[in-house]
Amino acid sequence: MKQILFQLFWLPLFSFAQVAFNGSELGVELYAGASNLGGSVGGDLKYAAILNENWAVGPSFRLQRTWSNNFGQKIGFSVYGGGIFAHYRIKNTLFLGGEYELLKSPYNFIFFNYSDKQWASTLFLGGGFSRDFNNKIRVNGGIFYDVINAENSPFRSSYSVRIKNEMGQVVRILPMIYRITFFFPLGGSKE
């Protein structure tokens, strides 16, 4: 497992060691949601190596705390793990991206119990708007689709696109989420 985590975090950076970087950024994505049945709070840190005016790539780390009082059964657990991401920025207006994360997630959201499967893989593909404000902050906001959609994915409770039948009953929930990430340049201005 240690070898897999080492490769997951460091090999993408080593593969770009021959490329001249155009700076770096620290990305922050925060999440909080709650109801009378439970909630979740957490976030994601991303280190972005800026390869050129279009490409930002690097590792990420996520930590999230979730609690529930579903059917009178109180539970709480932490989700953590890391991954890699790549964003292609188009003319300071749009971006396309892929984000892979391997997360320690012990709760199964389909059967509402703890799962034997402790690690969940997620692979989000999507895009949205990307805007730089005076080289001080960049805001990426987009819609992502989880291609893997694991049973114990900690994002299952955040999926918001519901397909209903003619009776108004939910028959399918698409594994789509909305994300807003704030990127801050490291080491001064890029100019």
Side-chain angles (χ1 to χ4, degrees):
M1 180 56 74
K2 289 180 184 178
Q3 186 178 27
I4 291 171
L5 290 175
F6 176 81
Q7 291 174 354
L8 184 65
F9 289 117
W10 297 112
L11 282 182
L13 292 179
F14 291 146
S15 66
F16 294 113
Q18 304 283 334
V19 178
F21 294 122
N22 288 342
S24 59
E25 298 173 349
L26 181 65
V28 178
E29 172 195 319
L30 299 175
Y31 172 79
S35 72
N36 59 350
L37 296 177
S40 186
V41 64
D44 185 46
L45 287 175
K46 291 179 169 66
Y47 171 78
I50 309 304
L51 302 182
N52 56 39
E53 66 182 36
N54 298 110
W55 283 103
V57 299
S60 65
F61 176 76
R62 180 172 302 280
L63 178 62
Q64 184 171 314
R65 180 72 183 158
T66 301
W67 66 93
S68 175
N69 187 16
N70 198 17
F71 304 116
Q73 178 185 8
K74 293 184 179 185
I75 60 164
F77 57 93
S78 294
V79 173
Y80 60 89
I84 56 174
F85 75 97
H87 289 174
Y88 183 77
R89 299 170 177 171
I90 304 167
K91 296 189 185 260
N92 200 28
T93 55
L94 300 173
F95 81 99
L96 299 174
E99 302 180 1
Y100 174 79
E101 290 181 328
L102 183 61
L103 302 170
K104 177 100 170 172
S105 179
Y107 195 70
N108 187 311
F109 289 90
I110 294 177
F111 300 110
F112 300 107
N113 63 5
Y114 285 95
S115 170
D116 293 337
K117 187 176 182 183
Q118 295 289 312
W119 291 92
S121 288
T122 63
L123 176 59
F124 285 101
L125 300 176
F129 75 88
S130 178
R131 180 79 177 147
D132 176 57
F133 295 96
N134 296 326
N135 291 324
K136 295 191 187 299
I137 186 172
R138 174 178 289 277
V139 179
N140 279 11
I143 299 173
F144 287 87
Y145 184 88
D146 187 359
V147 176
I148 297 174
N149 193 18
E151 294 177 347
N152 62 333
S153 171
F155 301 109
R156 276 189 172 266
S157 61
S158 302
Y159 297 159
S160 58
V161 179
R162 292 166 172 24
I163 298 174
K164 297 180 180 180
N165 64 10
E166 57 276 349
M167 303 293 288
Q169 299 170 327
V170 176
V171 293
R172 188 169 176 210
I173 299 174
L174 296 179
M176 296 176 71
I177 62 170
Y178 306 101
R179 282 192 171 160
I180 297 176
T181 308
F182 301 93
F183 287 96
F184 303 93
L186 298 175
S189 175
K190 292 184 260 183
E191 292 182 347

